[in-house]
Amino acid sequence: MRRLILLLTFSLSFLSISAQIKVEKWRIYEIILKGDSKGNPFTDVQLSAKFTNGENTKMVSGFYDGNGIYKIRFMPQTTGPWTYVTTSNLKSLSNKKGKFECFSNTNGNHGQVVVKDTFNFAYSDNKTYYPFGTTCYAWVHQGDSLAQLTLKTLSNGYFNKIRMCIFPKDYDWNKNEPLLYPLEGKPLTDWDYTKFNPPYFQNIEKRIAQLDSLGIEADLIVFHPYDRWGFQKMDRKTDDLYINYIIARFAAYKNVWWSLANEYDYVKSKKTDDWNHFIQLFAEKDPYNHLRSIHNGADLYDQTNPLITHVSIQNEDTYKAKELRPKYKKPIVYDECRYEGNINWPWGNLTGQEMVNKFWRGVVNGGFVGHGETYVTENPVKWGYESQDILWWSKGGVLRGQSQERIKFLRNIIESTPGYLTPIINTEFWVPYSYVAFKDEYFLHYFSTDQSRSQIVYLPENLKYKIEIINAWDMTITPVKGEFSGKNLIQLPQKPFTALRITKIM
């Protein structure tokens, strides 16, 4: 009998251990609660939870997800046992307690992206991150079929960041109504600004999770001016309600970035004080301190604001990154440098060669560059309520251009470097090209489209290097015979898009 009792006790103990909830570091632990939904649960109910792990504590806000369901999402950043207790003005939601075990991150999960060494980015586990982004404003508002095609295109590994709008967008080649709306009410402008539509936000977080599975950061655009529904004209109180709601819903996803606006200066209903307030609100309310930026149209925002984590620019002069780095002392990201395409708008008719050139010129001057594509085809497809072209920049789908493979080629080169690259400004001698270096171990020179002859390359006298000629358009890498040090005259092929990769021989 005693042996039977011991076995039973062991079995129950084993079941208890095996049933313990476990969550991977930087993944999501979600509390789901059933509560009263009388009145307005979006404004009348306050819900939060205090998560504790030793001396680590996090206060996280909850949100209403419809049908009487309330949720609190938490991203643990420390391994070990966590406990939590909820607080609410609704008795049925308050003083709910629980615990879980956070285990170490597995392969492929490197955490959220943060600023590293002033001018660069890294994941939470210190793995280097170099943004190679694209823009796809309204892809999340087009339905499953087109969204799946967009994800299939993204799975080819061209990009590791995508700019996307939370609100629907109204612009050329994007005139169809979204399948869902963010607020309760009647389109186009009769909204109840105090009540969100949970399925709308469920769809967005579904896409955020799908992007994360592909290793892609979701750069979420919070406000934008291209709007026929009135969302850009919400008052301060409504804006704050909206911002608090998206923080509560989305912040636990590790791949989220906050872009306060696309072309903030064209949102005429907002003033500088509003934007400063929003930046402050995200900094205070986001428990995980995700990256924050604000993107310009004609006028660059005051990027010296210490709560802005990196400079997000619309400007085609990507080679000026070297000048902006010391000015702002932040990573410089040219999220828009015009688009590869054939539309009549001047910002959307770059050739593939010009787009690739802008990427290389940005990188060898210490910046990061974003892609976009705007090709109109002769045979528009049937989608929604009208026949229309599906441009990548607006709705996603497939890429028709030539730059994406070359961008992926550059991305592979940069991700194989031994460390973060710094633009070199020579004071001893002048050279007619830009280049970056990692210590004295690695140099990357780029000669643009109009410099295809021999070039003098200066290297440390007391070290030996190997040199490879890269053609950024043909995507070829050709070794140069010999070992090199000091001053060298390197014969270049008479082709544009030539670069040199110079690596120290250990």
Side-chain angles (χ1 to χ4, degrees):
M1 176 63 74
R2 184 170 180 272
R3 184 170 179 270
L4 181 60
I5 293 172
L6 287 172
L7 284 172
L8 183 59
T9 302
F10 174 79
S11 298
L12 291 173
S13 176
F14 176 78
L15 285 172
S16 174
I17 293 171
S18 63
Q20 184 180 24
I21 298 172
K22 295 186 178 182
V23 180
E24 185 179 349
K25 189 177 181 182
W26 299 310
R27 297 294 183 188
I28 296 175
Y29 178 80
E30 187 173 83
I31 303 169
I32 301 176
L33 302 170
K34 187 74 174 178
D36 191 345
S37 58
K38 293 179 181 179
N40 186 345
F42 297 103
T43 57
D44 298 342
V45 177
Q46 288 80 53
L47 174 64
S48 63
K50 181 180 180 180
F51 290 85
T52 304
N53 168 279
E55 295 182 356
N56 297 310
T57 62
K58 285 281 187 184
M59 293 298 300
V60 178
S61 295
F63 62 94
Y64 183 61
D65 200 30
N67 299 315
I69 299 298
Y70 295 81
K71 293 181 178 180
I72 303 171
R73 289 182 178 147
F74 176 61
M75 178 178 66
Q77 298 169 295
T78 306
T79 57
W82 284 88
T83 61
Y84 68 83
V85 58
T86 67
T87 301
S88 177
N89 62 339
L90 200 62
K91 187 176 180 180
S92 60
L93 303 177
S94 194
N95 202 36
K96 302 298 181 184
K97 299 178 180 180
K99 61 182 179 180
F100 66 91
E101 182 79 17
C102 177
F103 61 93
S104 296
N105 52 303
T106 56
N107 291 338
N109 172 13
H110 303 287
Q112 66 191 83
V113 174
V114 298
V115 172
K116 179 74 172 180
D117 297 340
T118 306
F119 301 112
N120 296 290
F121 299 98
Y123 292 99
S124 300
D125 66 353
N126 285 321
K127 176 181 170 61
T128 55
Y129 172 82
Y130 304 96
F132 283 82
T134 190
T135 291
C136 215
Y137 286 122
W139 79 279
V140 299
H141 306 306
Q142 307 306 318
D144 277 338
S145 178
L146 188 53
Q148 289 301 325
L149 185 58
T150 304
L151 290 164
K152 182 179 179 181
T153 301
L154 290 169
S155 70
N156 290 312
Y158 309 125
F159 314 112
N160 58 12
K161 182 172 86 73
I162 185 168
R163 299 174 65 234
M164 50 193 272
C165 296
I166 296 176
F167 283 130
K169 185 177 180 182
D170 171 38
Y171 199 76
D172 293 349
W173 303 286
N174 198 23
K175 292 295 184 180
N176 61 308
E177 286 298 306
L179 300 181
L180 298 165
Y181 296 97
L183 297 166
E184 290 188 16
K186 296 178 181 179
L188 290 175
T189 58
D190 185 14
W191 307 112
D192 183 342
Y193 286 99
T194 68
K195 292 183 178 179
F196 298 107
N197 180 23
Y200 181 91
F201 296 92
Q202 291 164 5
N203 174 64
I204 295 175
E205 62 202 20
K206 172 184 174 181
R207 303 307 180 203
I208 293 171
Q210 289 171 323
L211 291 171
D212 188 45
S213 71
L214 298 175
I216 297 173
E217 302 295 299
D219 198 355
L220 301 180
I221 297 169
V222 179
F223 295 103
H224 67 79
Y226 304 105
D227 166 39
R228 63 177 176 266
W229 304 276
F231 304 135
Q232 66 164 310
K233 296 180 180 179
M234 300 186 305
D235 61 23
R236 172 72 71 83
K237 183 179 179 180
T238 307
D239 288 337
D240 286 1
L241 185 68
Y242 158 64
I243 288 173
N244 280 300
Y245 190 70
I246 62 173
I247 290 173
R249 288 203 74 115
F250 299 152
Y253 291 87
K254 63 184 176 66
N255 62 320
V256 159
W257 299 23
W258 306 117
S259 176
L260 270 292
N262 182 66
E263 298 176 340
Y264 83 94
D265 44 327
Y266 297 160
V267 184
K268 299 304 182 183
S269 61
K270 314 295 183 194
K271 305 302 179 186
T272 299
D273 179 65
D274 294 307
W275 297 116
N276 286 335
H277 168 73
F278 298 149
I279 293 166
Q280 182 77 34
L281 191 59
F282 274 100
E284 290 177 354
K285 295 299 183 71
D286 178 358
Y288 316 105
N289 198 31
H290 287 288
L291 294 169
R292 295 177 296 273
S293 68
I294 183 165
H295 169 274
N296 65 287
D299 299 320
L300 191 64
Y301 196 78
D302 179 11
Q303 302 291 333
T304 61
N305 185 325
L307 298 180
I308 296 174
T309 58
H310 61 284
V311 179
S312 174
I313 300 178
Q314 177 173 194
N315 189 290
E316 64 176 309
D317 299 330
T318 60
Y319 62 91
K320 291 185 177 179
K322 184 161 55 179
E323 301 171 18
L324 298 181
R325 282 167 55 108
K327 181 178 181 179
Y328 294 117
K329 295 181 173 57
K330 296 176 182 179
I332 308 299
V333 185
Y334 288 85
D335 277 313
E336 276 190 74
C337 64
R338 297 171 63 193
Y339 298 119
E340 179 185 359
N342 62 356
I343 62 175
N344 291 329
W345 291 105
W347 46 261
N349 57 16
L350 286 181
T351 65
Q353 290 91 339
E354 289 172 322
M355 174 63 76
V356 172
N357 189 44
K358 289 184 185 299
F359 262 81
W360 274 85
R361 295 194 77 187
V363 166
V364 296
N365 282 283
F368 307 99
V369 184
H371 158 277
E373 186 189 280
T374 50
Y375 277 108
V376 173
T377 61
E378 294 182 0
N379 300 305
V381 299
K382 185 73 175 177
W383 188 261
Y385 303 103
E386 56 186 329
S387 294
Q388 57 184 286
D389 278 293
I390 297 176
L391 280 64
W392 174 264
W393 141 92
S394 61
K395 297 180 182 178
V398 298
L399 288 165
R400 302 185 177 101
Q402 296 180 291
S403 65
Q404 64 270 13
E405 290 288 353
R406 279 85 184 175
I407 292 168
K408 181 179 178 180
F409 176 70
L410 173 59
R411 178 185 171 188
N412 290 337
I413 289 172
I414 297 302
E415 290 182 345
S416 67
T417 59
Y420 295 116
L421 302 176
T422 302
I424 302 302
I425 301 175
N426 277 307
T427 55
E428 297 180 15
F429 47 82
W430 176 83
V431 292
Y433 53 84
S434 298
Y435 68 105
V436 283
F438 173 70
K439 300 180 180 178
D440 61 0
E441 298 177 18
Y442 183 100
F443 302 90
L444 187 65
H445 300 230
Y446 181 59
F447 303 109
S448 190
T449 58
D450 57 354
Q451 296 168 322
S452 57
R453 302 174 183 174
S454 59
Q455 289 290 342
I456 294 175
V457 173
Y458 296 88
L459 297 170
E461 295 279 356
N462 57 336
L463 299 172
K464 292 188 178 297
Y465 295 84
K466 67 176 183 179
I467 296 179
E468 298 165 295
I469 296 175
I470 298 172
N471 186 284
W473 186 255
D474 294 341
M475 296 182 286
T476 59
I477 302 176
T478 306
V480 180
K481 290 183 180 180
E483 297 179 352
F484 302 87
S485 60
K487 181 179 178 181
N488 305 273
L489 181 65
I490 305 299
Q491 298 297 323
L492 302 177
Q494 294 189 8
K495 285 186 173 184
F497 304 107
T498 299
L500 295 181
R501 180 166 63 183
I502 304 171
T503 309
K504 186 168 73 173
I505 299 171
M506 300 297 184

